Every structure is written in C-alpha cells, then in structure tokens.
Amino acid sequence: MAASIVVPSDITLLENKHSIGHRRLGLFEWTGLLGMAPMFHLHYSKMDKGDKRAVLSKKYDEDDASELGTILKKRQEAIRKEVVATNFMWGTAGTMTGLVWWSFRRYN
C-alpha cells in the first residue's frame, strides 16, 4: 500500500493568502475546541479540532467586500457556530445526567 500525500484544499490556500493576521479565540470557542473528540483520519474528509482552530485563528480584512472575502468570513462563522455549540452539547448532557440522578434520589 502506497503512502498517502495530504495536500491542502483550495479553500485552505485561499485562507492563508487572504488572512491579515491572527485572531484570538474567545472563551466559548476555546472550551468548545477542548470538548471535541479526537478525529480518526482515514480519508481526511473532515476537519479535526486543529484544523478548526487554524481557521478560527485567522483574521480577515473587515472592509473586504469581495465574494471571496465573504465566503471566507461565512466559513469561519459557520465553524465558530459549530465549535460554540459543542459547549451546549456537553452542558445538555450534564444537565440531563443530573436530572436523571436527581430523579432516583427517593429509590435508595
């Protein structure tokens, strides 16, 4: 079996070309990335948390009104929403576990 060569996608090249600096991650973004499970890359078809962190840490020009700038900002916003939603997933799981545990308090 031959070794696979991982090549960056077109959108990754465009992100690196059009970024103007680094952006700090917010608290919910940081904790959302912390709560993501590790990714098993068999075909490299999904983004792992390192790739998501790389996309979120790029800063783009706010005055760029081109279609490419809009696509890059929308992609970054979509990834940000996914990462922030991970916090609420774990919060919901913890709350439901706590409520089930609380419901069994009279049975012991």
Side-chain angles (χ1 to χ4, degrees):
M1 186 167 130
S4 299
I5 297 175
V6 180
V7 180
S9 65
D10 294 339
I11 193 77
T12 304
L13 295 174
L14 290 173
E15 284 174 345
N16 289 330
K17 182 179 178 183
H18 290 278
S19 68
I20 60 170
H22 291 286
R23 163 185 179 272
R24 284 187 53 145
L25 295 179
L27 177 66
F28 288 126
E29 293 171 350
W30 185 78
T31 55
L33 286 169
L34 190 66
M36 287 189 163
M39 178 77 59
F40 176 68
H41 286 293
L42 190 59
H43 296 292
Y44 289 95
S45 59
K46 293 183 180 178
M47 295 176 69
D48 62 352
K49 61 182 172 180
D51 295 335
K52 291 177 185 178
R53 179 176 282 118
V55 171
L56 290 174
S57 65
K58 287 183 175 59
K59 187 176 185 180
Y60 301 111
D61 187 14
E62 294 294 327
D63 298 330
D64 187 12
S66 67
E67 291 182 18
L68 183 60
T70 306
I71 289 171
L72 293 175
K73 290 175 197 171
K74 283 187 179 183
R75 181 172 190 257
Q76 188 180 41
E77 182 63 21
I79 292 171
R80 188 195 69 79
K81 286 179 183 179
E82 178 186 357
V83 168
V84 170
T86 306
N87 296 313
F88 296 104
M89 177 192 71
W90 284 110
T92 302
T95 302
M96 293 301 124
T97 303
L99 288 174
V100 168
W101 192 7
W102 179 257
S103 70
F104 286 123
R105 70 190 186 281
R106 299 281 184 196
Y107 293 113
N108 52 359

mmCIF file of all heavy atoms in Angstrom, residues 78-106:
data_model
loop_
_atom_site.group_PDB
_atom_site.id
_atom_site.type_symbol
_atom_site.label_atom_id
_atom_site.label_comp_id
_atom_site.label_asym_id
_atom_site.label_seq_id
_atom_site.Cartn_x
_atom_site.Cartn_y
_atom_site.Cartn_z
ATOM 1 N N ALA A 78 -19.398 29.821 10.293
ATOM 2 C CA ALA A 78 -20.048 28.514 10.397
ATOM 3 C C ALA A 78 -19.242 27.587 11.308
ATOM 4 O O ALA A 78 -19.818 26.856 12.131
ATOM 5 C CB ALA A 78 -20.207 27.900 9.013
ATOM 6 N N ILE A 79 -17.938 27.611 11.186
ATOM 7 C CA ILE A 79 -17.095 26.779 12.055
ATOM 8 C C ILE A 79 -17.166 27.279 13.488
ATOM 9 O O ILE A 79 -17.196 26.492 14.436
ATOM 10 C CB ILE A 79 -15.652 26.746 11.512
ATOM 11 C CG1 ILE A 79 -15.626 25.989 10.191
ATOM 12 C CG2 ILE A 79 -14.696 26.122 12.515
ATOM 13 C CD1 ILE A 79 -14.320 26.055 9.451
ATOM 14 N N ARG A 80 -17.224 28.599 13.665
ATOM 15 C CA ARG A 80 -17.351 29.156 15.020
ATOM 16 C C ARG A 80 -18.649 28.698 15.677
ATOM 17 O O ARG A 80 -18.664 28.312 16.846
ATOM 18 C CB ARG A 80 -17.313 30.684 14.973
ATOM 19 C CG ARG A 80 -17.239 31.324 16.357
ATOM 20 C CD ARG A 80 -17.557 32.800 16.309
ATOM 21 N NE ARG A 80 -18.942 33.053 15.994
ATOM 22 C CZ ARG A 80 -19.950 32.966 16.889
ATOM 23 N NH1 ARG A 80 -19.703 32.633 18.124
ATOM 24 N NH2 ARG A 80 -21.183 33.199 16.520
ATOM 25 N N LYS A 81 -19.738 28.695 14.919
ATOM 26 C CA LYS A 81 -21.020 28.244 15.470
ATOM 27 C C LYS A 81 -20.980 26.775 15.866
ATOM 28 O O LYS A 81 -21.533 26.383 16.889
ATOM 29 C CB LYS A 81 -22.137 28.473 14.446
ATOM 30 C CG LYS A 81 -22.529 29.916 14.291
ATOM 31 C CD LYS A 81 -23.613 30.061 13.246
ATOM 32 C CE LYS A 81 -23.983 31.493 13.018
ATOM 33 N NZ LYS A 81 -25.034 31.633 11.987
ATOM 34 N N GLU A 82 -20.327 25.962 15.039
ATOM 35 C CA GLU A 82 -20.213 24.536 15.355
ATOM 36 C C GLU A 82 -19.406 24.317 16.633
ATOM 37 O O GLU A 82 -19.771 23.501 17.486
ATOM 38 C CB GLU A 82 -19.550 23.806 14.190
ATOM 39 C CG GLU A 82 -19.347 22.327 14.435
ATOM 40 C CD GLU A 82 -18.559 21.657 13.332
ATOM 41 O OE1 GLU A 82 -18.220 22.326 12.336
ATOM 42 O OE2 GLU A 82 -18.260 20.467 13.481
ATOM 43 N N VAL A 83 -18.315 25.063 16.781
ATOM 44 C CA VAL A 83 -17.449 24.905 17.940
ATOM 45 C C VAL A 83 -18.140 25.394 19.205
ATOM 46 O O VAL A 83 -18.083 24.744 20.255
ATOM 47 C CB VAL A 83 -16.112 25.650 17.696
ATOM 48 C CG1 VAL A 83 -15.311 25.773 18.960
ATOM 49 C CG2 VAL A 83 -15.312 24.941 16.622
ATOM 50 N N VAL A 84 -18.837 26.513 19.129
ATOM 51 C CA VAL A 84 -19.543 27.048 20.298
ATOM 52 C C VAL A 84 -20.699 26.119 20.694
ATOM 53 O O VAL A 84 -20.987 25.940 21.879
ATOM 54 C CB VAL A 84 -20.037 28.489 20.021
ATOM 55 C CG1 VAL A 84 -20.966 28.975 21.100
ATOM 56 C CG2 VAL A 84 -18.842 29.430 19.907
ATOM 57 N N ALA A 85 -21.329 25.480 19.716
ATOM 58 C CA ALA A 85 -22.441 24.564 20.013
ATOM 59 C C ALA A 85 -21.971 23.341 20.788
ATOM 60 O O ALA A 85 -22.767 22.715 21.497
ATOM 61 C CB ALA A 85 -23.125 24.144 18.724
ATOM 62 N N THR A 86 -20.693 22.991 20.683
ATOM 63 C CA THR A 86 -20.167 21.847 21.426
ATOM 64 C C THR A 86 -20.291 22.085 22.932
ATOM 65 O O THR A 86 -20.561 21.141 23.686
ATOM 66 C CB THR A 86 -18.692 21.613 21.048
ATOM 67 O OG1 THR A 86 -18.604 21.487 19.644
ATOM 68 C CG2 THR A 86 -18.146 20.361 21.689
ATOM 69 N N ASN A 87 -20.135 23.318 23.368
ATOM 70 C CA ASN A 87 -20.303 23.633 24.794
ATOM 71 C C ASN A 87 -21.714 23.297 25.256
ATOM 72 O O ASN A 87 -21.905 22.723 26.329
ATOM 73 C CB ASN A 87 -20.036 25.112 25.053
ATOM 74 C CG ASN A 87 -18.620 25.503 24.767
ATOM 75 O OD1 ASN A 87 -17.709 24.828 25.176
ATOM 76 N ND2 ASN A 87 -18.446 26.594 24.055
ATOM 77 N N PHE A 88 -22.699 23.653 24.462
ATOM 78 C CA PHE A 88 -24.086 23.408 24.845
ATOM 79 C C PHE A 88 -24.435 21.932 24.766
ATOM 80 O O PHE A 88 -25.277 21.451 25.511
ATOM 81 C CB PHE A 88 -25.021 24.256 23.976
ATOM 82 C CG PHE A 88 -24.805 25.728 24.191
ATOM 83 C CD1 PHE A 88 -24.130 26.485 23.259
ATOM 84 C CD2 PHE A 88 -25.246 26.336 25.349
ATOM 85 C CE1 PHE A 88 -23.906 27.828 23.460
ATOM 86 C CE2 PHE A 88 -25.035 27.688 25.574
ATOM 87 C CZ PHE A 88 -24.362 28.435 24.625
ATOM 88 N N MET A 89 -23.767 21.188 23.867
ATOM 89 C CA MET A 89 -23.972 19.746 23.808
ATOM 90 C C MET A 89 -23.531 19.095 25.120
ATOM 91 O O MET A 89 -24.271 18.293 25.700
ATOM 92 C CB MET A 89 -23.174 19.158 22.647
ATOM 93 C CG MET A 89 -23.260 17.646 22.557
ATOM 94 S SD MET A 89 -22.078 16.938 21.430
ATOM 95 C CE MET A 89 -20.551 17.176 22.318
ATOM 96 N N TRP A 90 -22.336 19.457 25.597
ATOM 97 C CA TRP A 90 -21.850 18.887 26.843
ATOM 98 C C TRP A 90 -22.673 19.392 28.039
ATOM 99 O O TRP A 90 -22.903 18.648 28.992
ATOM 100 C CB TRP A 90 -20.381 19.215 27.049
ATOM 101 C CG TRP A 90 -19.487 18.382 26.190
ATOM 102 C CD1 TRP A 90 -18.760 18.813 25.116
ATOM 103 C CD2 TRP A 90 -19.249 16.984 26.296
ATOM 104 N NE1 TRP A 90 -18.082 17.764 24.560
ATOM 105 C CE2 TRP A 90 -18.359 16.620 25.262
ATOM 106 C CE3 TRP A 90 -19.703 15.990 27.156
ATOM 107 C CZ2 TRP A 90 -17.914 15.318 25.085
ATOM 108 C CZ3 TRP A 90 -19.258 14.694 26.975
ATOM 109 C CH2 TRP A 90 -18.376 14.367 25.958
ATOM 110 N N GLY A 91 -23.106 20.647 27.987
ATOM 111 C CA GLY A 91 -23.953 21.175 29.058
ATOM 112 C C GLY A 91 -25.287 20.459 29.139
ATOM 113 O O GLY A 91 -25.768 20.132 30.231
ATOM 114 N N THR A 92 -25.892 20.182 27.988
ATOM 115 C CA THR A 92 -27.154 19.452 27.959
ATOM 116 C C THR A 92 -26.967 18.031 28.466
ATOM 117 O O THR A 92 -27.797 17.520 29.235
ATOM 118 C CB THR A 92 -27.724 19.429 26.526
ATOM 119 O OG1 THR A 92 -27.903 20.774 26.090
ATOM 120 C CG2 THR A 92 -29.043 18.690 26.468
ATOM 121 N N ALA A 93 -25.891 17.373 28.055
ATOM 122 C CA ALA A 93 -25.621 16.015 28.528
ATOM 123 C C ALA A 93 -25.431 15.991 30.042
ATOM 124 O O ALA A 93 -25.964 15.107 30.735
ATOM 125 C CB ALA A 93 -24.386 15.452 27.828
ATOM 126 N N GLY A 94 -24.705 16.958 30.578
ATOM 127 C CA GLY A 94 -24.509 17.024 32.023
ATOM 128 C C GLY A 94 -25.793 17.321 32.773
ATOM 129 O O GLY A 94 -26.070 16.731 33.820
ATOM 130 N N THR A 95 -26.615 18.221 32.228
ATOM 131 C CA THR A 95 -27.884 18.563 32.867
ATOM 132 C C THR A 95 -28.833 17.372 32.884
ATOM 133 O O THR A 95 -29.476 17.085 33.899
ATOM 134 C CB THR A 95 -28.544 19.750 32.138
ATOM 135 O OG1 THR A 95 -27.633 20.857 32.157
ATOM 136 C CG2 THR A 95 -29.850 20.141 32.788
ATOM 137 N N MET A 96 -28.931 16.672 31.763
ATOM 138 C CA MET A 96 -29.819 15.507 31.701
ATOM 139 C C MET A 96 -29.342 14.395 32.633
ATOM 140 O O MET A 96 -30.148 13.737 33.284
ATOM 141 C CB MET A 96 -29.916 14.979 30.266
ATOM 142 C CG MET A 96 -30.618 15.917 29.306
ATOM 143 S SD MET A 96 -32.293 16.276 29.839
ATOM 144 C CE MET A 96 -32.234 18.048 29.918
ATOM 145 N N THR A 97 -28.027 14.205 32.717
ATOM 146 C CA THR A 97 -27.486 13.217 33.650
ATOM 147 C C THR A 97 -27.808 13.612 35.083
ATOM 148 O O THR A 97 -28.206 12.763 35.896
ATOM 149 C CB THR A 97 -25.965 13.091 33.465
ATOM 150 O OG1 THR A 97 -25.691 12.737 32.111
ATOM 151 C CG2 THR A 97 -25.377 12.059 34.400
ATOM 152 N N GLY A 98 -27.665 14.891 35.395
ATOM 153 C CA GLY A 98 -28.001 15.366 36.733
ATOM 154 C C GLY A 98 -29.473 15.213 37.058
ATOM 155 O O GLY A 98 -29.836 14.830 38.184
ATOM 156 N N LEU A 99 -30.347 15.469 36.095
ATOM 157 C CA LEU A 99 -31.787 15.317 36.341
ATOM 158 C C LEU A 99 -32.179 13.852 36.546
ATOM 159 O O LEU A 99 -33.035 13.542 37.389
ATOM 160 C CB LEU A 99 -32.576 15.927 35.188
ATOM 161 C CG LEU A 99 -32.558 17.453 35.119
ATOM 162 C CD1 LEU A 99 -33.237 17.940 33.853
ATOM 163 C CD2 LEU A 99 -33.228 18.055 36.341
ATOM 164 N N VAL A 100 -31.570 12.952 35.784
ATOM 165 C CA VAL A 100 -31.858 11.528 35.983
ATOM 166 C C VAL A 100 -31.363 11.081 37.344
ATOM 167 O O VAL A 100 -32.050 10.347 38.061
ATOM 168 C CB VAL A 100 -31.210 10.693 34.850
ATOM 169 C CG1 VAL A 100 -31.234 9.215 35.176
ATOM 170 C CG2 VAL A 100 -31.922 10.947 33.540
ATOM 171 N N TRP A 101 -30.166 11.539 37.722
ATOM 172 C CA TRP A 101 -29.628 11.195 39.030
ATOM 173 C C TRP A 101 -30.533 11.753 40.137
ATOM 174 O O TRP A 101 -30.788 11.092 41.138
ATOM 175 C CB TRP A 101 -28.224 11.741 39.137
ATOM 176 C CG TRP A 101 -27.420 11.250 40.302
ATOM 177 C CD1 TRP A 101 -27.762 10.281 41.195
ATOM 178 C CD2 TRP A 101 -26.144 11.716 40.696
ATOM 179 N NE1 TRP A 101 -26.777 10.110 42.116
ATOM 180 C CE2 TRP A 101 -25.757 10.977 41.832
ATOM 181 C CE3 TRP A 101 -25.280 12.672 40.202
ATOM 182 C CZ2 TRP A 101 -24.558 11.181 42.480
ATOM 183 C CZ3 TRP A 101 -24.081 12.866 40.855
ATOM 184 C CH2 TRP A 101 -23.719 12.132 41.969
ATOM 185 N N TRP A 102 -31.026 12.957 39.937
ATOM 186 C CA TRP A 102 -31.912 13.587 40.916
ATOM 187 C C TRP A 102 -33.231 12.829 41.013
ATOM 188 O O TRP A 102 -33.814 12.708 42.091
ATOM 189 C CB TRP A 102 -32.157 15.030 40.513
ATOM 190 C CG TRP A 102 -33.088 15.771 41.442
ATOM 191 C CD1 TRP A 102 -34.397 16.064 41.228
ATOM 192 C CD2 TRP A 102 -32.772 16.297 42.719
ATOM 193 N NE1 TRP A 102 -34.930 16.748 42.275
ATOM 194 C CE2 TRP A 102 -33.935 16.905 43.217
ATOM 195 C CE3 TRP A 102 -31.617 16.327 43.488
ATOM 196 C CZ2 TRP A 102 -33.977 17.512 44.456
ATOM 197 C CZ3 TRP A 102 -31.675 16.932 44.707
ATOM 198 C CH2 TRP A 102 -32.835 17.522 45.188
ATOM 199 N N SER A 103 -33.714 12.263 39.911
ATOM 200 C CA SER A 103 -34.994 11.552 39.930
ATOM 201 C C SER A 103 -34.896 10.237 40.697
ATOM 202 O O SER A 103 -35.918 9.716 41.149
ATOM 203 C CB SER A 103 -35.498 11.297 38.517
ATOM 204 O OG SER A 103 -34.697 10.332 37.876
ATOM 205 N N PHE A 104 -33.708 9.677 40.845
ATOM 206 C CA PHE A 104 -33.537 8.426 41.575
ATOM 207 C C PHE A 104 -33.247 8.650 43.059
ATOM 208 O O PHE A 104 -32.984 7.695 43.768
ATOM 209 C CB PHE A 104 -32.393 7.596 40.977
ATOM 210 C CG PHE A 104 -32.734 6.951 39.677
ATOM 211 C CD1 PHE A 104 -31.980 7.180 38.550
ATOM 212 C CD2 PHE A 104 -33.833 6.099 39.586
ATOM 213 C CE1 PHE A 104 -32.298 6.593 37.345
ATOM 214 C CE2 PHE A 104 -34.157 5.484 38.387
ATOM 215 C CZ PHE A 104 -33.390 5.732 37.263
ATOM 216 N N ARG A 105 -33.365 9.856 43.553
ATOM 217 C CA ARG A 105 -32.979 10.142 44.937
ATOM 218 C C ARG A 105 -33.894 9.469 45.953
ATOM 219 O O ARG A 105 -33.508 9.237 47.079
ATOM 220 C CB ARG A 105 -32.963 11.640 45.168
ATOM 221 C CG ARG A 105 -34.321 12.290 45.180
ATOM 222 C CD ARG A 105 -34.222 13.795 45.168
ATOM 223 N NE ARG A 105 -35.511 14.413 45.328
ATOM 224 C CZ ARG A 105 -36.419 14.553 44.382
ATOM 225 N NH1 ARG A 105 -36.168 14.084 43.193
ATOM 226 N NH2 ARG A 105 -37.568 15.131 44.619
ATOM 227 N N ARG A 106 -35.152 9.152 45.589
ATOM 228 C CA ARG A 106 -36.097 8.558 46.524
ATOM 229 C C ARG A 106 -36.058 7.028 46.517
ATOM 230 O O ARG A 106 -36.745 6.405 47.313
ATOM 231 C CB ARG A 106 -37.513 8.997 46.196
ATOM 232 C CG ARG A 106 -37.738 10.483 46.274
ATOM 233 C CD ARG A 106 -37.895 10.910 47.694
ATOM 234 N NE ARG A 106 -38.195 12.340 47.733
ATOM 235 C CZ ARG A 106 -38.095 13.056 48.806
ATOM 236 N NH1 ARG A 106 -37.727 12.512 49.935
ATOM 237 N NH2 ARG A 106 -38.351 14.340 48.779
#
